[in-house]
Amino acid sequence: MKQSLFAFSLRKTLFLALFAMLAMGACKSKKKAVQPTPPPAPTEEVVKPTPPPAPVRSAEEVAVEKLENYFNAVAGAGSVNAANQTIQETLAMFSNQETPVLIVIHEENGIKDYDEPTTIKKYLDYLKDTKKNLNYISDIRMDASGKVSELELRRK
């Protein structure tokens, strides 16, 4: 049987139309994929807050640091003259040479037991003689002029 030219052409036309619609649909999705994405929204510049200024140290903290350094220098001095010079520099930080130095030997329930009280001059001479600094400063009291008026030490 012979098919009519019109029927064949109608099938062919419908097939081509269907193929064209599929092709156009595919092109649209590719077009969307190929289109450049919009630039990202501008991000806010993160401003780092400036760090707070270093805490101001109290006069007692500064004095403790200096005294610890002086005590170590006296104990580690290479000669008697160097130790005596360091002792004179250290004594300038105290209200007088008879400033009391208390050494805690035991503490229980807030009650402290002290070694025999001594003076700063005697303690510095002790450091010079023994060449050992076995104590650290646990409490310091200063007078109105900024000089040390009492010192409390503990074993390291």
Side-chain angles (χ1 to χ4, degrees):
M1 291 206 190
K2 198 172 184 189
Q3 291 182 340
S4 73
L5 187 60
F6 181 70
F8 180 70
S9 148
L10 184 61
R11 256 192 213 164
K12 199 175 186 182
T13 306
L14 285 175
F15 180 73
L16 284 174
L18 181 63
F19 182 73
M21 284 178 51
L22 288 175
M24 287 176 65
C27 286
K28 284 184 180 177
S29 65
K30 282 185 183 176
K31 238 184 199 179
K32 288 181 184 175
V34 172
Q35 284 181 346
T37 57
T43 57
E44 292 182 27
E45 186 176 319
V46 178
V47 178
K48 293 181 182 177
T50 56
V56 178
R57 297 185 322 166
S58 67
E60 287 86 5
E61 292 172 331
V62 172
V64 166
E65 185 177 330
K66 283 183 179 180
L67 285 174
E68 290 287 349
N69 290 337
Y70 278 135
F71 291 167
N72 290 329
V74 169
S79 68
V80 174
N81 288 336
N84 287 335
Q85 183 178 357
T86 306
I87 288 172
Q88 291 306 314
E89 291 173 20
T90 307
L91 288 175
M93 293 183 65
F94 289 86
S95 55
N96 61 48
Q97 292 186 4
E98 301 301 314
T99 299
V101 176
L102 305 171
I103 302 172
V104 178
I105 55 174
H106 181 72
E107 181 176 3
E108 188 173 329
N109 298 329
I111 299 172
K112 298 176 185 177
D113 290 328
Y114 296 99
D115 197 2
E116 181 181 343
T118 187
T119 65
I120 187 60
K121 177 69 173 150
K122 289 179 183 175
Y123 183 72
L124 290 170
D125 287 336
Y126 168 80
L127 289 177
K128 178 177 71 172
D129 294 340
T130 61
K131 299 199 178 289
K132 293 180 185 176
N133 183 15
L134 302 176
N135 301 311
Y136 68 93
I137 300 171
S138 65
D139 191 25
I140 188 169
R141 294 198 178 92
M142 302 187 77
D143 59 15
S145 65
K147 302 237 180 197
V148 178
S149 61
E150 187 178 307
L151 196 61
E152 185 177 283
L153 305 175
R154 288 181 189 261
R155 286 272 183 210
K156 288 185 181 176

